[in-house]
Amino acid sequence: MEQPSAAIGGPVSHAIFRVARLHRMLAGSLLRPTGLYPGQELLMMHLWDHGPQRQSQLVSVLDSDAPTVTRTVQRLERAGFVRRRPDPTDARASLIEPTPASRHLREQIEQIWQQLEQLTVGPLDPADHSSALGILEQLERNLVTATTARACDDEGAN
Amino acid sequence: MEQPSAAIGGPVSHAIFRVARLHRMLAGSLLRPTGLYPGQELLMMHLWDHGPQRQSQLVSVLDSDAPTVTRTVQRLERAGFVRRRPDPTDARASLIEPTPASRHLREQIEQIWQQLEQLTVGPLDPADHSSALGILEQLERNLVTATTARACDDEGAN
DNA sequence: GATTGGTATATGTTCGAACAACTAAGATCC
DNA sequence: GGATCTTAGTTGTTCGAACATATACCAATC
């Protein structure tokens, strides 16, 4: 495959794109036997760690948006991994909790995360490993800055 | 936001996930004024660079899959950026070409890519910049290795 | 020259992600 | 106590991505 011009215009952007795609594919493929789709495991893990949650809490913790969480919860509910209970203190809200049946999943998920991490990091020596993490965190900070800057611009424009 | 246990189980994986999400969001937000959605610009850019293409060629170049390209082309066609012409040498295939009207997009896209790259890389000095690229390429190699290894496993299992 | 295999593209489905619009329930203030 | 604002969730839509199938068409073999 020849060098696409995307790589010329933005080598880092293009690399992020490809790494993310491969990583998501690999995660999906590792997760497949459990019946979960990528993204659902984050929600489950948070429920296991922190107990019953409101959807709004899940939205802020997962840094997702309300419609996505609504449907993810619906799918997990249909799959039997999650259950809803009315919030006694607020009739608008419901509490999402993992079902007893889902306990079995937890160790699978943890093992998959370990495996995914190891496959991703591969044969990197510890120095490269920590510099990889540092670079990614720097990129994240840059992107957060850029995103919030754009959000403010938009506000000003409106 | 407290540290989610995803970060404990797989810090690099989790960082990739977040960086990719922010990057995709930023790309989408930059692309919005043009009417394109993230992904479509890669296809257009390839058409501009290499002229009329079969979908199958686009599939291999973009490293995507056939159904995705089919629908992306359909949407770009509906939006008026792309046009199909029967391949004179093979009645099964059609050639996808950018419309004259789309020429106007090209410089916008190139500018957006530059902007995206700059926002992503941010204030990194050249040394960090090239090490970032190196790290991402290493991660990509690891993921490709892991993915193809798993593909072979699956074949063996079937 | 009809069957078989491979290629080109399309469709239907499932997901996650983002946006807009909506309902319902709480909270506040006059 | 009634109008208004906010918050919690839902639904509908559009998109990209991946998977399984289906429908053409070409090509080579028997």
Side-chain angles (χ1 to χ4, degrees):
Chain A
M1 190 177 69
E2 73 203 270
Q3 190 75 319
S5 64
I8 298 154
V12 173
S13 287
H14 206 244
I16 289 173
F17 182 80
R18 291 196 315 268
V19 166
R21 220 156 78 84
L22 287 163
H23 188 261
R24 190 162 22 77
M25 269 174 54
L26 183 57
S29 137
L30 290 170
L31 238 29
R32 181 167 303 268
T34 68
L36 290 182
Y37 287 77
Q40 299 184 343
E41 89 281 15
L42 294 170
L43 199 155
M44 289 307 300
M45 211 62 205
H46 190 74
L47 289 182
W48 285 319
D49 281 354
H50 296 86
Q53 302 276 314
R54 289 195 184 176
Q55 287 190 192
S56 54
Q57 287 177 289
L58 292 171
V59 167
S60 70
V61 169
L62 302 179
D63 209 30
S64 183
D65 67 343
T68 298
V69 169
T70 291
R71 280 186 269 244
T72 299
V73 167
Q74 285 171 346
R75 282 159 190 151
L76 288 170
E77 194 177 16
R78 235 187 300 143
F81 296 135
V82 133
R83 171 171 72 188
R84 339 167 75 111
R85 178 158 50 90
D87 186 324
T89 72
D90 189 336
R92 294 170 301 176
S94 52
L95 295 173
I96 317 298
E97 59 186 2
T99 57
S102 80
R103 305 279 161 191
H104 171 62
L105 262 186
R106 185 173 182 168
E107 56 191 41
Q108 288 183 61
I109 299 294
E110 277 169 354
Q111 199 190 327
I112 284 171
W113 272 355
Q114 265 184 23
Q115 199 182 344
L116 177 61
E117 183 76 357
Q118 211 191 331
L119 290 170
T120 303
V121 169
L124 251 51
D125 59 64
D128 283 350
H129 185 288
S130 72
S131 84
L133 209 52
I135 291 288
L136 287 169
E137 280 162 0
Q138 180 63 54
L139 291 176
E140 186 181 0
R141 278 192 296 275
N142 296 343
L143 289 166
V144 166
T145 303
T147 305
T148 56
R150 280 188 57 77
C152 292
D153 286 359
D154 287 359
E155 254 175 60
N158 290 351
Chain B
M1 189 176 68
E2 73 205 86
Q3 189 78 316
S5 65
I8 298 152
V12 173
S13 287
H14 206 245
I16 289 173
F17 182 80
R18 290 195 316 268
V19 166
R21 219 155 78 84
L22 287 163
H23 188 261
R24 192 162 21 75
M25 268 173 54
L26 183 56
S29 136
L30 290 171
L31 239 27
R32 178 168 305 267
T34 68
L36 290 181
Y37 288 77
Q40 298 184 344
E41 88 282 15
L42 294 170
L43 199 155
M44 289 309 299
M45 211 61 205
H46 191 74
L47 289 182
W48 285 318
D49 281 354
H50 296 85
Q53 301 275 315
R54 289 192 183 178
Q55 287 190 192
S56 54
Q57 287 176 289
L58 292 171
V59 166
S60 70
V61 169
L62 301 178
D63 211 30
S64 181
D65 68 343
T68 298
V69 169
T70 291
R71 279 187 270 242
T72 299
V73 168
Q74 286 171 345
R75 282 160 190 150
L76 288 170
E77 196 179 14
R78 235 187 301 143
F81 296 134
V82 133
R83 167 173 75 185
R84 338 167 77 109
R85 176 158 52 90
D87 185 326
T89 72
D90 190 336
R92 294 170 301 177
S94 50
L95 295 174
I96 316 299
E97 58 186 4
T99 57
S102 80
R103 304 280 161 189
H104 171 62
L105 262 184
R106 185 172 182 169
E107 55 189 42
Q108 287 183 60
I109 299 293
E110 278 169 354
Q111 199 190 329
I112 284 171
W113 271 355
Q114 266 184 22
Q115 199 183 346
L116 177 61
E117 184 76 357
Q118 210 191 331
L119 289 170
T120 304
V121 169
L124 249 51
D125 60 64
D128 282 351
H129 184 286
S130 72
S131 85
L133 209 52
I135 291 287
L136 287 168
E137 279 162 1
Q138 180 63 54
L139 291 175
E140 185 181 1
R141 279 192 295 275
N142 296 343
L143 289 166
V144 167
T145 303
T147 305
T148 57
R150 281 188 56 79
C152 291
D153 286 0
D154 287 357
E155 256 175 57
N158 289 350

